[in-house]
Each structure stands twice: as structure tokens, then as C-alpha cells.
Amino acid sequence: MRATARIIDVQDAAPHRLPDQLRKNLRVVFVGTAASTRSAELGHYYAHPGNRFWRALHEAGITPRRYQPSEFASLLELGIGFTDLSKSGAGMDHEIDRKSFDLAGFCTKIDAFRPKTVAFTSKNAASLFYGKPSSAIALGRQPVDGKFPDVFVLSSPSGAASGHWTLEPWRELADWINSTHA
């Protein structure tokens, strides 16, 4: 199911823009492509005021209240983690240097921490992971391969993706993690 991860040399890459928020056995790890410019500046995940991420978490029923981007680290207590496919890039997806996407490193992290669920926060992030066009990827729960945690693809919360926004896959994820991984 999962494309074979390519090993990408990022030794000369910039330091991580946002720290991973990972620990063993999380209920869900949200995975983006890379930090937005605003998130990189502030050091908080999904920090742009036009990003729907924090509102979607609450409205879908994943969190008990609406958190602020500056509170991202406290979500570990709820079993929620964060990472990106590029830890050194920042900006809009088309601005990110393709060499900065570290799929092998991402897979190593997931294998080490074994979250119950991985949720890509855009079809573009899932496209990079699966190695196929975003048009070939459906929103929602993905087919299971048995070697990787359950995977969901969510509609992008970015304001730049407003025309494709739907809360439905977020609700599907909330139902899944709340019923199977509470």
C-alpha cells in the first residue's frame, strides 16, 4: 500500500522549523507537508489566522475545546501529536524544496513511536507519502496495509485551500479515534 520511502540526504538542511510532538502510542499524529511561513516564525503548528486546523479539531469532536496554536504541545496529553514531511522547509507547498521532504525519516518516526492513527492534513501531504497524484487520493480513511498505522487523509485546513474545504473527513477521523482508540 505504502510507496517505498526514498532516502533523501538533508544533512545540509536548515534546522527544524517546528519540533516534532511525538511519543509512543498516540491516538493520532497529524502530518503536514511543512510549516507555513507564519508557523515557522512563531514556532507553533497551524499558526496562520486563516488556517482552520484548530477550529476543525474542536468542531469535529477531536478536542474538548478550541485550542490556540500556542497550545500545540499540550495536545500530547490528549494523545495527539504533530510532525511534517519536511522539517526544514517553510512556506506554501509549491515553495518547499522537494529535496527537503524526508519520507524515510518520517517512516522511521512512525515505526519508532507507533501511533494508532496517522492523519495527513492535506491530499498533497498524502500524495508525497503515497507517491501518486493528489487527484488519485480520496479523503477519509485509507485502505489498511497491516504494517503501518491506520491512515486518514483530511481536507486541507489552509486558507489557500478554501475551495476544497469540508469538515466531513475530520468528523470521520474523530469518530474513528474516539470509538477505537479512546
Side-chain angles (χ1 to χ4, degrees), residues 33-178:
T33 51
S36 70
T37 303
R38 179 81 170 163
S39 290
E41 288 170 0
L42 296 176
H44 308 312
Y45 282 89
Y46 305 99
H48 192 281
N51 195 297
R52 294 178 186 85
F53 181 83
W54 299 102
R55 187 176 74 220
L57 280 185
H58 178 62
E59 288 178 4
I62 297 169
T63 59
R65 67 175 176 85
R66 185 171 173 178
Y67 285 78
Q68 297 301 311
S70 61
E71 298 177 285
F72 74 92
S74 67
L75 271 70
L76 278 173
E77 297 169 16
L78 300 176
I80 297 171
F82 299 93
T83 192
D84 292 301
L85 297 177
S86 170
K87 296 305 293 179
S88 60
M92 304 223 14
D93 287 352
H94 69 275
E95 299 170 334
I96 308 297
D97 182 354
R98 293 292 181 215
K99 294 178 198 161
S100 76
F101 292 112
D102 182 9
L103 299 176
F106 166 71
C107 290
T108 298
K109 286 184 239 185
I110 297 304
D111 287 342
F113 290 102
R114 297 306 301 166
K116 308 285 191 268
T117 310
V118 170
F120 290 103
T121 58
S122 71
K123 284 177 122 184
N124 192 40
S127 169
L128 291 165
F129 175 71
Y130 286 114
K132 58 185 180 182
S134 59
S135 61
I137 296 172
L139 294 174
R141 188 165 178 238
Q142 303 300 298
V144 179
D145 76 354
K147 299 174 192 163
F148 204 75
D150 290 302
V151 175
F152 279 75
V153 177
L154 306 174
S155 53
S156 174
S158 170
S162 292
H164 303 285
W165 172 250
T166 175
L167 191 60
E168 273 316 302
W170 294 77
R171 287 186 177 128
E172 182 186 351
L173 172 64
D175 290 346
W176 174 256
I177 63 174
N178 291 332

